[in-house]
Amino acid sequence: MKPTLKTFGLVSAGLFLAFGRYPVSWLVSSRNRSAKPARLRASNRLFVKSPTGNTLHVAIEGPEGAQPLVLIHGLNGSLQHWFYQRKFLGDSYRLILIDLPGHGKSPAPASLAVKDLCRDLAAVVSQLSLEKPILYGHSLGAMTVMEYCSSYPNVAKGIILQHCSYTNPYTTCQASWLVEYLQEPVIRPYLEYSKKHPLMFKILTRMNYMNGLSLLLHRYIFFKGEQSAAQLRFSSRIAAFCPPEVTAEGLLRCMDFDMKGKLSKIKAPCLVIGAVGDRLTRAYAGKHIAKNVSRGEFAIVEGGHMSLLEHSDKVNDLVGGFLNRIK
């Protein structure tokens, strides 16, 4: 018996709901020839308890005795975002990769305030006895590094800040005038609501990852369009599996962030990386940071907020050059 048109439509709809992420990612991506990113496992992993009540999953890899380099990802991410940087730096540096509280394999957070994330970083540096570490942060991770280096100005040998603001990031994003206008009447209540109903949002985010809707949003928020389909699926999957209540709390706490009066306290050599197509943190924010820290330099790359994936070769060239200059 020939299948009816209705049956064909139902099967097609079911397949798209389950696998729509593949055609969507192909349609909105470029033929980027970078290696396909994949989840990497570190043989040395541990959990560090912080005085803030947070517990952080930490992966360690690279030669023992080599210069320690701490990598901290951004909100809605995990240490897996550092795929290309791990490949590039892993043979020369002792990499300390941190999952922020509630992200990756780290347990649910007691606090996601940047000042507490700073104390969490201090706990990792202290408990692992890291001598003159280099600190590399992306987005919220870079905000944490700035807070840490203003509080402990003589600890880090150098710092790298990629795609981060020096103040409430809602004020330095694209269309910030609209985002600021909506912050209190719309954005804050929505985030508070999602914290109270995480199961509903968890189901929605997982479904939207499967059917490709979240990939479409991810492409236009985090990328410029020069990413590969595999990179888009990789980054979107990490975001989809971050608990929605953690994402919401992180976005709320970002509203409280302000380093305007403390940038001059950052004494370590500092590389600030911005991106031409970054919609979440416009390049002028990075220029402001580089200008106001004691020893800053600014560089800009193509791509969007996730240029560490989208243009990893260029980012790694900048990072490698900076690391060679501060040896």
Side-chain angles (χ1 to χ4, degrees), residues 164 166 263 272-274 282-293 296-300:
C164 69
Y166 55 89
L263 290 174
V272 185
I273 302 174
R282 293 164 66 192
Y284 81 84
K287 292 179 182 178
H288 179 88
I289 295 169
K291 182 179 178 180
N292 287 276
V293 298
E297 56 181 283
F298 178 75
I300 193 162

Side-chain angles (χ1 to χ4, degrees), residues 124-180:
V124 172
V125 171
S126 174
Q127 292 184 39
L128 297 185
S129 301
L130 302 180
E131 294 290 335
K132 286 293 180 182
I134 297 168
L135 308 177
Y136 184 177
H138 174 258
S139 196
L140 178 59
M143 292 157 64
T144 301
V145 169
M146 281 195 288
E147 187 74 46
Y148 176 84
C149 289
S150 69
S151 302
Y152 307 92
N154 299 315
V155 175
K157 182 176 181 179
I159 62 175
I160 303 167
L161 309 172
Q162 188 164 355
H163 309 331
C164 69
S165 180
Y166 55 89
T167 186
N168 177 357
Y170 292 69
T171 68
T172 56
C173 64
Q174 195 172 67
S176 57
W177 61 272
L178 178 60
V179 177
E180 285 186 81

